[in-house]
Amino acid sequence: MGNRILILEDELLVALDLEYLMEDHIAGAQPVLAASVAQARQALAQGVDVAILDVDVMDGKSFPLAYELRRLGIPFVFVSAAYIADIPADLREVPFLRKPVQVQQLVDFVAAALANGQPGVTAPPALPSPPWSEAERLAALRSYDILDTEREGFFDELTEIAALICKAPIAVVNLIEDTRQFFKAEIGLGVRETPVDVSICAHAILQRELFVVPDTTLDPRFASNPLVTGEPRLRFYAGALLETPEGLPIGTVCVLDYQPRPDGLSREQALTLLGLARAVMAKLESRKIAASLRRREEELARLQEIAGIGGTEVDLRTGFTNDRSPQYLKIHGLPPSARRETHEDWVARLHPEDRERVETLFRDAVRSGARSYLAEYRIIRPSDGQIRWISARAEIEHDGQGVPIRLVAAHQDITERKRAEEAVHESERRLRAVLDTMPQIVWTTRPDGHHDYFNRRWFEFTGRTSEQSEGAGWNPVLHPEDRQKAWDAWSKALATGDPYEVEYRFRSRDGAYRWFIGRAVALRDADGKVERWFGTCTDVHELKLAEKRLNSNEERLRLALEAGKVGTWVWLLREGIAHADEQTAAMYGIDAEIAGNGAPFGLLLPAVHPEDRPKLKAMMTQAAAHGGEHEVEHRVMTGQGEVRWIVSRGRCELDAQGRPSRFPGASVDITDLKRVEEARELISRELSHRIQNLFSLVNGLISLSARARPEAADFATDLKLRLETLARANDYVRPQMQGARQQQTLHGLIRLLLTPYASDSGERLALSGEDVEIGSGSATALALVLHEQATNAVKYGALSIEGGRLELATRIDGDWLVLVWRERDGPPVAGAPSRQGFGTVLAARSMAGQLGGAMTHDWRSGGLQLTLRAPVERLRH
């Protein structure tokens, strides 16, 4: 039998060229052509010896097949117009040949693979052995006595939170036993257990903390799992480890999805899942401790019941005959002669308010066959008339027929404790009443930082329960951007004992965030050791908003970070000085320290190009006279003699008397339009990819033609070498190109390309109408058109000034898509330009040539209206 060589290639000419190549150079070669992964799998079932894989084929990527080949130990090579960066990281050790491929390289690979197996490929590294044994892990799991227990609200609510936060259809609390996985709680499965041999969680417990599988079909560990290949066809998994304090994994809190998630979980989702896992372990530990305490209490019950300061023995067979110890007599204020007092004497000593209750309790205990007796009550001591609190603990003994015969009790004077408890209760009641009426959030923690108290304001604001808030339950309420800052400050305070203060945002029960200032101080004992932390969270949201309204520096900084090189400044008109940041100082060539402390406005003018100084001065003069918003575009000269373009924008604010007093603004370096270049880079990458495929196609055509005409073989060889040279040249000029994700709909492409031009306000760009699917070819032409129009809008149209808006509306008109581009509230339009630029000409030709459509311009005075028409069918290609 010959060597079966699988060739996965959906370009027919390229596939035939590879087939002829194998037949000519590999002895006994039996090429098997497949145009899709499905066809390749059919060939694989019949057996193959080596495989040549294109990355992109008609039914998707070839990576799932590559994982199957590697699992089966069948050597293979990627031969593709893609880039190595497009290959998953765990497949990049596989040999990779760029199209148009060097013939000898491919022949050498196949020959070596057939002779020796896959060259240069190593199996994925094995997971390290865990530091625990399976017996230890199972013992730890069973110690919680949780397996096969009924559903509980806590765990059900926890899975609901996991599913909600992670937006997943399936969420479970999963415990991994030796042969099965038991679901303490589940959403979306409908079963309580499954065999462990199909469990993804069985792999998760070998990881640390969070285990995420973005696409199970691309992971060799799960690509063949029946729950992945068959129902319910799980494609995404994320599990947070349930780990005992001793470091033994017992299960996970996990979410699953039927769709892959290439980006995995967000930071907030990941932290929430980890927090829920910690909550589960905290709950399990709490149950375990509670069970241990119950057992301990049972062991100590007898000692606790008969321990005390004064003892007494009552003979129940002779009508409650008492025998009091000396210490008992002392506690009750009785003389030694009262050792044998009667039952009636004891009843008479009881406080009138407690007498009936206590005597009834005593008699009922004796008559009911109770084994023990416990009561707290007041007495009036005969010796001094004092009212004292007594704690009475007793054991009642019975004979063989269950008749009570003797009661042995211990009495303790608990008056001081009662007074202290009453004082504490009263103090706590008053304190809680005060704290619950405070507008601030008040909280306390143990010395280790474990939160154990929040006042009413916390629960009203967050909507969380006491159980959800205890310990680190406050963390999910924090804004994700503030968590690390808050944790760093809190960790420092816990380590040093220093006062704690930090600003952060809390999420309210309706989902909105508000700013708070958190402060805490430590309560120390006589030795200086921290006993507790007392803290408050003060709502400063309105103050923050007020500061934002009075000072736009924060907003300008945000715009600067988004838009690129931006400097911010505030011109104080009455003082005649400007406070500027380092970026502004660098733009205008002045000392950053002087600019930060306030520099005369005149210091900025020398850097302004002489031809632009008059219009900059005019703008500032107008702003100082009338207020309002102003903008000017001008040039600056750098210290190296370079000319750079700057756009300066500002809003002059008025004082209480309506006089201009303060002019905050920003200066933007618009020389380097990175975002435009990035858009072009995306288009260029698509063109480059298509050029590479074109080279492969042409090479295949040349090879077929040469076989039909042997006399042209030399010419064909020379032509192929030239084409290969052009292909390598194309790669050379694009060395750092990375893979870009192709847009699928017209609206998606519009948002991707145009949102950056209107990112300073959600109201500057409006997109409405019917959406359509688009292909990679039409995306190129559309990108050229949209990019050209957006660039013109930023330079000359509605997006060139603040307040300008861009409206795009799409509709289906029969077999045609109509896109209307309207610019509003921009500079007045004088009419059609005198000449068309290269970009406009290129856009028009792209619409006509690639899309079979047309574009028309309507130069209205209120703003350009552009109409694009293209066949819907052409857009899908």
mmCIF file of all heavy atoms in Angstrom, residues 211-253:
data_model
loop_
_atom_site.group_PDB
_atom_site.id
_atom_site.type_symbol
_atom_site.label_atom_id
_atom_site.label_comp_id
_atom_site.label_asym_id
_atom_site.label_seq_id
_atom_site.Cartn_x
_atom_site.Cartn_y
_atom_site.Cartn_z
ATOM 1 N N PHE A 211 -9.593 28.615 35.900
ATOM 2 C CA PHE A 211 -9.260 27.826 34.719
ATOM 3 C C PHE A 211 -10.258 28.195 33.634
ATOM 4 O O PHE A 211 -11.460 28.045 33.816
ATOM 5 C CB PHE A 211 -9.348 26.336 35.047
ATOM 6 C CG PHE A 211 -9.060 25.438 33.866
ATOM 7 C CD1 PHE A 211 -7.880 25.554 33.170
ATOM 8 C CD2 PHE A 211 -9.980 24.470 33.481
ATOM 9 C CE1 PHE A 211 -7.606 24.714 32.105
ATOM 10 C CE2 PHE A 211 -9.716 23.619 32.410
ATOM 11 C CZ PHE A 211 -8.509 23.752 31.726
ATOM 12 N N VAL A 212 -9.762 28.720 32.494
ATOM 13 C CA VAL A 212 -10.618 29.195 31.418
ATOM 14 C C VAL A 212 -10.246 28.471 30.127
ATOM 15 O O VAL A 212 -9.064 28.384 29.772
ATOM 16 C CB VAL A 212 -10.483 30.718 31.226
ATOM 17 C CG1 VAL A 212 -11.376 31.179 30.074
ATOM 18 C CG2 VAL A 212 -10.857 31.449 32.509
ATOM 19 N N VAL A 213 -11.259 27.940 29.444
ATOM 20 C CA VAL A 213 -11.073 27.313 28.133
ATOM 21 C C VAL A 213 -11.909 28.127 27.151
ATOM 22 O O VAL A 213 -13.128 27.954 27.068
ATOM 23 C CB VAL A 213 -11.522 25.840 28.134
ATOM 24 C CG1 VAL A 213 -11.268 25.217 26.756
ATOM 25 C CG2 VAL A 213 -10.809 25.064 29.222
ATOM 26 N N PRO A 214 -11.305 29.068 26.392
ATOM 27 C CA PRO A 214 -12.085 29.933 25.502
ATOM 28 C C PRO A 214 -12.862 29.157 24.448
ATOM 29 O O PRO A 214 -13.973 29.511 24.113
ATOM 30 C CB PRO A 214 -11.019 30.843 24.872
ATOM 31 C CG PRO A 214 -9.868 30.809 25.828
ATOM 32 C CD PRO A 214 -9.893 29.434 26.420
ATOM 33 N N ASP A 215 -12.281 28.080 23.895
ATOM 34 C CA ASP A 215 -12.978 27.286 22.877
ATOM 35 C C ASP A 215 -12.565 25.835 23.063
ATOM 36 O O ASP A 215 -11.417 25.460 22.806
ATOM 37 C CB ASP A 215 -12.611 27.783 21.477
ATOM 38 C CG ASP A 215 -13.512 27.159 20.419
ATOM 39 O OD1 ASP A 215 -14.107 26.088 20.651
ATOM 40 O OD2 ASP A 215 -13.628 27.746 19.332
ATOM 41 N N THR A 216 -13.479 25.003 23.524
ATOM 42 C CA THR A 216 -13.147 23.607 23.820
ATOM 43 C C THR A 216 -12.754 22.829 22.570
ATOM 44 O O THR A 216 -11.987 21.880 22.654
ATOM 45 C CB THR A 216 -14.350 22.911 24.477
ATOM 46 O OG1 THR A 216 -15.492 23.062 23.625
ATOM 47 C CG2 THR A 216 -14.666 23.524 25.824
ATOM 48 N N THR A 217 -13.273 23.270 21.401
ATOM 49 C CA THR A 217 -12.931 22.535 20.182
ATOM 50 C C THR A 217 -11.504 22.780 19.746
ATOM 51 O O THR A 217 -10.971 22.037 18.913
ATOM 52 C CB THR A 217 -13.881 22.919 19.039
ATOM 53 O OG1 THR A 217 -13.700 24.308 18.732
ATOM 54 C CG2 THR A 217 -15.316 22.651 19.419
ATOM 55 N N LEU A 218 -10.882 23.849 20.278
ATOM 56 C CA LEU A 218 -9.490 24.141 19.935
ATOM 57 C C LEU A 218 -8.530 23.674 21.007
ATOM 58 O O LEU A 218 -7.330 23.920 20.927
ATOM 59 C CB LEU A 218 -9.321 25.655 19.701
ATOM 60 C CG LEU A 218 -10.172 26.258 18.590
ATOM 61 C CD1 LEU A 218 -9.855 27.725 18.424
ATOM 62 C CD2 LEU A 218 -9.970 25.519 17.282
ATOM 63 N N ASP A 219 -9.025 23.036 22.026
ATOM 64 C CA ASP A 219 -8.183 22.558 23.121
ATOM 65 C C ASP A 219 -8.077 21.035 23.006
ATOM 66 O O ASP A 219 -9.082 20.322 23.062
ATOM 67 C CB ASP A 219 -8.804 22.933 24.476
ATOM 68 C CG ASP A 219 -7.822 22.738 25.622
ATOM 69 O OD1 ASP A 219 -7.194 21.661 25.697
ATOM 70 O OD2 ASP A 219 -7.693 23.648 26.458
ATOM 71 N N PRO A 220 -6.876 20.504 22.819
ATOM 72 C CA PRO A 220 -6.748 19.048 22.600
ATOM 73 C C PRO A 220 -7.266 18.223 23.753
ATOM 74 O O PRO A 220 -7.598 17.053 23.572
ATOM 75 C CB PRO A 220 -5.234 18.861 22.397
ATOM 76 C CG PRO A 220 -4.596 20.067 23.005
ATOM 77 C CD PRO A 220 -5.578 21.189 22.801
ATOM 78 N N ARG A 221 -7.350 18.807 24.951
ATOM 79 C CA ARG A 221 -7.860 18.049 26.093
ATOM 80 C C ARG A 221 -9.367 17.809 25.998
ATOM 81 O O ARG A 221 -9.895 16.858 26.578
ATOM 82 C CB ARG A 221 -7.534 18.791 27.398
ATOM 83 C CG ARG A 221 -6.045 18.869 27.707
ATOM 84 C CD ARG A 221 -5.770 19.844 28.833
ATOM 85 N NE ARG A 221 -6.123 21.197 28.459
ATOM 86 C CZ ARG A 221 -5.890 22.259 29.232
ATOM 87 N NH1 ARG A 221 -5.331 22.111 30.417
ATOM 88 N NH2 ARG A 221 -6.223 23.469 28.828
ATOM 89 N N PHE A 222 -10.077 18.674 25.262
ATOM 90 C CA PHE A 222 -11.533 18.585 25.280
ATOM 91 C C PHE A 222 -12.141 18.505 23.884
ATOM 92 O O PHE A 222 -13.363 18.377 23.763
ATOM 93 C CB PHE A 222 -12.122 19.803 26.016
ATOM 94 C CG PHE A 222 -11.465 20.087 27.335
ATOM 95 C CD1 PHE A 222 -10.760 21.257 27.539
ATOM 96 C CD2 PHE A 222 -11.542 19.157 28.363
ATOM 97 C CE1 PHE A 222 -10.145 21.498 28.756
ATOM 98 C CE2 PHE A 222 -10.929 19.400 29.581
ATOM 99 C CZ PHE A 222 -10.213 20.586 29.773
ATOM 100 N N ALA A 223 -11.333 18.610 22.840
ATOM 101 C CA ALA A 223 -11.883 18.638 21.484
ATOM 102 C C ALA A 223 -12.676 17.371 21.162
ATOM 103 O O ALA A 223 -13.605 17.406 20.359
ATOM 104 C CB ALA A 223 -10.754 18.819 20.471
ATOM 105 N N SER A 224 -12.298 16.234 21.788
ATOM 106 C CA SER A 224 -13.008 14.970 21.529
ATOM 107 C C SER A 224 -13.975 14.595 22.636
ATOM 108 O O SER A 224 -14.532 13.495 22.621
ATOM 109 C CB SER A 224 -11.973 13.837 21.330
ATOM 110 O OG SER A 224 -11.105 14.122 20.267
ATOM 111 N N ASN A 225 -14.174 15.453 23.595
ATOM 112 C CA ASN A 225 -15.089 15.183 24.705
ATOM 113 C C ASN A 225 -16.514 15.036 24.164
ATOM 114 O O ASN A 225 -16.967 15.874 23.369
ATOM 115 C CB ASN A 225 -15.018 16.329 25.724
ATOM 116 C CG ASN A 225 -15.751 16.003 27.009
ATOM 117 O OD1 ASN A 225 -16.942 15.709 27.013
ATOM 118 N ND2 ASN A 225 -15.035 16.067 28.115
ATOM 119 N N PRO A 226 -17.256 13.992 24.549
ATOM 120 C CA PRO A 226 -18.613 13.803 24.003
ATOM 121 C C PRO A 226 -19.556 14.958 24.337
ATOM 122 O O PRO A 226 -20.524 15.175 23.628
ATOM 123 C CB PRO A 226 -19.078 12.491 24.658
ATOM 124 C CG PRO A 226 -18.170 12.288 25.836
ATOM 125 C CD PRO A 226 -16.850 12.891 25.456
ATOM 126 N N LEU A 227 -19.277 15.696 25.426
ATOM 127 C CA LEU A 227 -20.115 16.854 25.738
ATOM 128 C C LEU A 227 -19.778 18.043 24.838
ATOM 129 O O LEU A 227 -20.513 19.021 24.817
ATOM 130 C CB LEU A 227 -19.922 17.264 27.209
ATOM 131 C CG LEU A 227 -20.296 16.200 28.241
ATOM 132 C CD1 LEU A 227 -20.094 16.736 29.640
ATOM 133 C CD2 LEU A 227 -21.739 15.750 28.063
ATOM 134 N N VAL A 228 -18.649 17.962 24.131
ATOM 135 C CA VAL A 228 -18.244 18.997 23.175
ATOM 136 C C VAL A 228 -18.665 18.599 21.763
ATOM 137 O O VAL A 228 -19.262 19.384 21.027
ATOM 138 C CB VAL A 228 -16.722 19.239 23.253
ATOM 139 C CG1 VAL A 228 -16.284 20.225 22.170
ATOM 140 C CG2 VAL A 228 -16.333 19.740 24.633
ATOM 141 N N THR A 229 -18.375 17.348 21.409
ATOM 142 C CA THR A 229 -18.714 16.896 20.051
ATOM 143 C C THR A 229 -20.191 16.583 19.897
ATOM 144 O O THR A 229 -20.729 16.625 18.794
ATOM 145 C CB THR A 229 -17.883 15.647 19.686
ATOM 146 O OG1 THR A 229 -18.164 14.607 20.655
ATOM 147 C CG2 THR A 229 -16.398 15.968 19.728
ATOM 148 N N GLY A 230 -20.852 16.228 20.988
ATOM 149 C CA GLY A 230 -22.290 15.941 20.963
ATOM 150 C C GLY A 230 -23.028 16.877 21.903
ATOM 151 O O GLY A 230 -22.499 17.866 22.392
ATOM 152 N N GLU A 231 -24.313 16.552 22.152
ATOM 153 C CA GLU A 231 -25.113 17.393 23.039
ATOM 154 C C GLU A 231 -24.510 17.401 24.441
ATOM 155 O O GLU A 231 -24.042 16.362 24.897
ATOM 156 C CB GLU A 231 -26.570 16.904 23.074
ATOM 157 C CG GLU A 231 -27.292 17.074 21.749
ATOM 158 C CD GLU A 231 -27.350 18.526 21.284
ATOM 159 O OE1 GLU A 231 -27.369 19.418 22.166
ATOM 160 O OE2 GLU A 231 -27.342 18.775 20.077
ATOM 161 N N PRO A 232 -24.476 18.553 25.148
ATOM 162 C CA PRO A 232 -25.057 19.843 24.727
ATOM 163 C C PRO A 232 -24.112 20.728 23.913
ATOM 164 O O PRO A 232 -24.305 21.917 23.815
ATOM 165 C CB PRO A 232 -25.385 20.524 26.063
ATOM 166 C CG PRO A 232 -24.302 20.025 26.968
ATOM 167 C CD PRO A 232 -24.014 18.606 26.551
ATOM 168 N N ARG A 233 -23.003 20.170 23.399
ATOM 169 C CA ARG A 233 -22.040 20.887 22.562
ATOM 170 C C ARG A 233 -21.468 22.113 23.288
ATOM 171 O O ARG A 233 -21.650 23.257 22.887
ATOM 172 C CB ARG A 233 -22.667 21.319 21.234
ATOM 173 C CG ARG A 233 -23.161 20.120 20.431
ATOM 174 C CD ARG A 233 -23.497 20.484 18.994
ATOM 175 N NE ARG A 233 -24.037 19.325 18.283
ATOM 176 C CZ ARG A 233 -23.295 18.362 17.743
ATOM 177 N NH1 ARG A 233 -21.980 18.433 17.858
ATOM 178 N NH2 ARG A 233 -23.855 17.356 17.100
ATOM 179 N N LEU A 234 -20.794 21.843 24.379
ATOM 180 C CA LEU A 234 -20.197 22.899 25.185
ATOM 181 C C LEU A 234 -18.977 23.461 24.476
ATOM 182 O O LEU A 234 -18.100 22.717 24.035
ATOM 183 C CB LEU A 234 -19.797 22.358 26.563
ATOM 184 C CG LEU A 234 -20.942 21.735 27.365
ATOM 185 C CD1 LEU A 234 -20.406 21.131 28.649
ATOM 186 C CD2 LEU A 234 -22.009 22.788 27.665
ATOM 187 N N ARG A 235 -18.911 24.802 24.394
ATOM 188 C CA ARG A 235 -17.779 25.421 23.688
ATOM 189 C C ARG A 235 -16.915 26.299 24.597
ATOM 190 O O ARG A 235 -15.776 26.610 24.237
ATOM 191 C CB ARG A 235 -18.326 26.296 22.543
ATOM 192 C CG ARG A 235 -18.972 25.520 21.430
ATOM 193 C CD ARG A 235 -17.977 24.672 20.645
ATOM 194 N NE ARG A 235 -16.930 25.466 20.047
ATOM 195 C CZ ARG A 235 -17.037 26.075 18.872
ATOM 196 N NH1 ARG A 235 -18.160 25.959 18.176
ATOM 197 N NH2 ARG A 235 -16.042 26.770 18.374
ATOM 198 N N PHE A 236 -17.451 26.704 25.729
ATOM 199 C CA PHE A 236 -16.681 27.601 26.616
ATOM 200 C C PHE A 236 -16.806 27.116 28.051
ATOM 201 O O PHE A 236 -17.867 26.646 28.466
ATOM 202 C CB PHE A 236 -17.211 29.030 26.507
ATOM 203 C CG PHE A 236 -16.627 29.965 27.531
ATOM 204 C CD1 PHE A 236 -15.339 30.482 27.385
ATOM 205 C CD2 PHE A 236 -17.353 30.318 28.668
ATOM 206 C CE1 PHE A 236 -14.803 31.322 28.340
ATOM 207 C CE2 PHE A 236 -16.814 31.157 29.622
ATOM 208 C CZ PHE A 236 -15.529 31.650 29.449
ATOM 209 N N TYR A 237 -15.713 27.233 28.798
ATOM 210 C CA TYR A 237 -15.698 26.822 30.204
ATOM 211 C C TYR A 237 -14.845 27.799 31.002
ATOM 212 O O TYR A 237 -13.773 28.225 30.560
ATOM 213 C CB TYR A 237 -15.102 25.418 30.350
ATOM 214 C CG TYR A 237 -14.917 24.984 31.790
ATOM 215 C CD1 TYR A 237 -15.951 24.352 32.478
ATOM 216 C CD2 TYR A 237 -13.737 25.248 32.469
ATOM 217 C CE1 TYR A 237 -15.797 23.969 33.792
ATOM 218 C CE2 TYR A 237 -13.569 24.871 33.790
ATOM 219 C CZ TYR A 237 -14.596 24.223 34.456
ATOM 220 O OH TYR A 237 -14.439 23.857 35.757
ATOM 221 N N ALA A 238 -15.316 28.164 32.181
ATOM 222 C CA ALA A 238 -14.520 28.938 33.141
ATOM 223 C C ALA A 238 -14.871 28.451 34.535
ATOM 224 O O ALA A 238 -16.048 28.440 34.917
ATOM 225 C CB ALA A 238 -14.799 30.430 33.018
ATOM 226 N N GLY A 239 -13.867 28.021 35.294
ATOM 227 C CA GLY A 239 -14.110 27.478 36.622
ATOM 228 C C GLY A 239 -13.150 28.054 37.650
ATOM 229 O O GLY A 239 -11.949 28.171 37.397
ATOM 230 N N ALA A 240 -13.696 28.449 38.797
ATOM 231 C CA ALA A 240 -12.886 28.922 39.922
ATOM 232 C C ALA A 240 -12.752 27.772 40.919
ATOM 233 O O ALA A 240 -13.737 27.124 41.291
ATOM 234 C CB ALA A 240 -13.534 30.132 40.585
ATOM 235 N N LEU A 241 -11.538 27.529 41.380
ATOM 236 C CA LEU A 241 -11.223 26.358 42.198
ATOM 237 C C LEU A 241 -11.814 26.483 43.598
ATOM 238 O O LEU A 241 -11.742 27.519 44.241
ATOM 239 C CB LEU A 241 -9.695 26.211 42.292
ATOM 240 C CG LEU A 241 -9.178 24.930 42.946
ATOM 241 C CD1 LEU A 241 -9.589 23.719 42.134
ATOM 242 C CD2 LEU A 241 -7.661 24.997 43.057
ATOM 243 N N LEU A 242 -12.401 25.369 44.062
ATOM 244 C CA LEU A 242 -12.795 25.238 45.458
ATOM 245 C C LEU A 242 -11.645 24.526 46.168
ATOM 246 O O LEU A 242 -11.400 23.341 45.929
ATOM 247 C CB LEU A 242 -14.092 24.431 45.583
ATOM 248 C CG LEU A 242 -15.339 25.038 44.924
ATOM 249 C CD1 LEU A 242 -16.525 24.110 45.094
ATOM 250 C CD2 LEU A 242 -15.647 26.412 45.498
ATOM 251 N N GLU A 243 -10.953 25.245 47.018
ATOM 252 C CA GLU A 243 -9.734 24.726 47.618
ATOM 253 C C GLU A 243 -9.828 24.842 49.138
ATOM 254 O O GLU A 243 -10.195 25.886 49.674
ATOM 255 C CB GLU A 243 -8.526 25.516 47.102
ATOM 256 C CG GLU A 243 -7.190 24.933 47.507
ATOM 257 C CD GLU A 243 -6.031 25.690 46.859
ATOM 258 O OE1 GLU A 243 -6.163 26.892 46.631
ATOM 259 O OE2 GLU A 243 -5.002 25.066 46.592
ATOM 260 N N THR A 244 -9.486 23.743 49.826
ATOM 261 C CA THR A 244 -9.535 23.751 51.280
ATOM 262 C C THR A 244 -8.399 24.599 51.825
ATOM 263 O O THR A 244 -7.438 24.910 51.112
ATOM 264 C CB THR A 244 -9.410 22.321 51.825
ATOM 265 O OG1 THR A 244 -8.067 21.868 51.594
ATOM 266 C CG2 THR A 244 -10.394 21.388 51.147
ATOM 267 N N PRO A 245 -8.474 24.990 53.117
ATOM 268 C CA PRO A 245 -7.359 25.749 53.699
ATOM 269 C C PRO A 245 -6.033 25.008 53.611
ATOM 270 O O PRO A 245 -4.972 25.632 53.647
ATOM 271 C CB PRO A 245 -7.806 25.946 55.146
ATOM 272 C CG PRO A 245 -9.287 25.894 55.103
ATOM 273 C CD PRO A 245 -9.614 24.881 54.045
ATOM 274 N N GLU A 246 -6.078 23.681 53.472
ATOM 275 C CA GLU A 246 -4.835 22.902 53.360
ATOM 276 C C GLU A 246 -4.338 22.812 51.916
ATOM 277 O O GLU A 246 -3.333 22.140 51.632
ATOM 278 C CB GLU A 246 -5.053 21.480 53.881
ATOM 279 C CG GLU A 246 -5.406 21.388 55.358
ATOM 280 C CD GLU A 246 -6.856 21.755 55.646
ATOM 281 O OE1 GLU A 246 -7.701 21.625 54.720
ATOM 282 O OE2 GLU A 246 -7.148 22.205 56.774
ATOM 283 N N GLY A 247 -5.034 23.496 50.978
ATOM 284 C CA GLY A 247 -4.600 23.476 49.591
ATOM 285 C C GLY A 247 -5.076 22.287 48.797
ATOM 286 O O GLY A 247 -4.503 21.973 47.751
ATOM 287 N N LEU A 248 -6.127 21.603 49.245
ATOM 288 C CA LEU A 248 -6.642 20.420 48.537
ATOM 289 C C LEU A 248 -7.855 20.818 47.702
ATOM 290 O O LEU A 248 -8.831 21.345 48.224
ATOM 291 C CB LEU A 248 -7.035 19.328 49.537
ATOM 292 C CG LEU A 248 -5.878 18.766 50.371
ATOM 293 C CD1 LEU A 248 -6.418 17.886 51.483
ATOM 294 C CD2 LEU A 248 -4.914 17.983 49.491
ATOM 295 N N PRO A 249 -7.817 20.578 46.375
ATOM 296 C CA PRO A 249 -8.954 20.950 45.517
ATOM 297 C C PRO A 249 -10.079 19.936 45.635
ATOM 298 O O PRO A 249 -9.852 18.731 45.557
ATOM 299 C CB PRO A 249 -8.333 20.943 44.120
ATOM 300 C CG PRO A 249 -7.240 19.931 44.204
ATOM 301 C CD PRO A 249 -6.693 20.006 45.610
ATOM 302 N N ILE A 250 -11.302 20.434 45.786
ATOM 303 C CA ILE A 250 -12.437 19.519 45.910
ATOM 304 C C ILE A 250 -13.495 19.748 44.845
ATOM 305 O O ILE A 250 -14.403 18.941 44.713
ATOM 306 C CB ILE A 250 -13.076 19.627 47.308
ATOM 307 C CG1 ILE A 250 -13.624 21.043 47.551
ATOM 308 C CG2 ILE A 250 -12.068 19.254 48.388
ATOM 309 C CD1 ILE A 250 -14.425 21.176 48.828
ATOM 310 N N GLY A 251 -13.385 20.839 44.073
ATOM 311 C CA GLY A 251 -14.378 21.100 43.038
ATOM 312 C C GLY A 251 -14.214 22.488 42.485
ATOM 313 O O GLY A 251 -13.164 23.114 42.616
ATOM 314 N N THR A 252 -15.260 22.990 41.856
ATOM 315 C CA THR A 252 -15.213 24.307 41.221
ATOM 316 C C THR A 252 -16.569 24.990 41.322
ATOM 317 O O THR A 252 -17.600 24.342 41.507
ATOM 318 C CB THR A 252 -14.835 24.214 39.736
ATOM 319 O OG1 THR A 252 -15.860 23.512 39.041
ATOM 320 C CG2 THR A 252 -13.488 23.546 39.541
ATOM 321 N N VAL A 253 -16.537 26.318 41.166
ATOM 322 C CA VAL A 253 -17.714 27.090 40.789
ATOM 323 C C VAL A 253 -17.462 27.481 39.345
ATOM 324 O O VAL A 253 -16.492 28.197 39.058
ATOM 325 C CB VAL A 253 -17.883 28.342 41.662
ATOM 326 C CG1 VAL A 253 -19.065 29.167 41.158
ATOM 327 C CG2 VAL A 253 -18.101 27.963 43.106
#
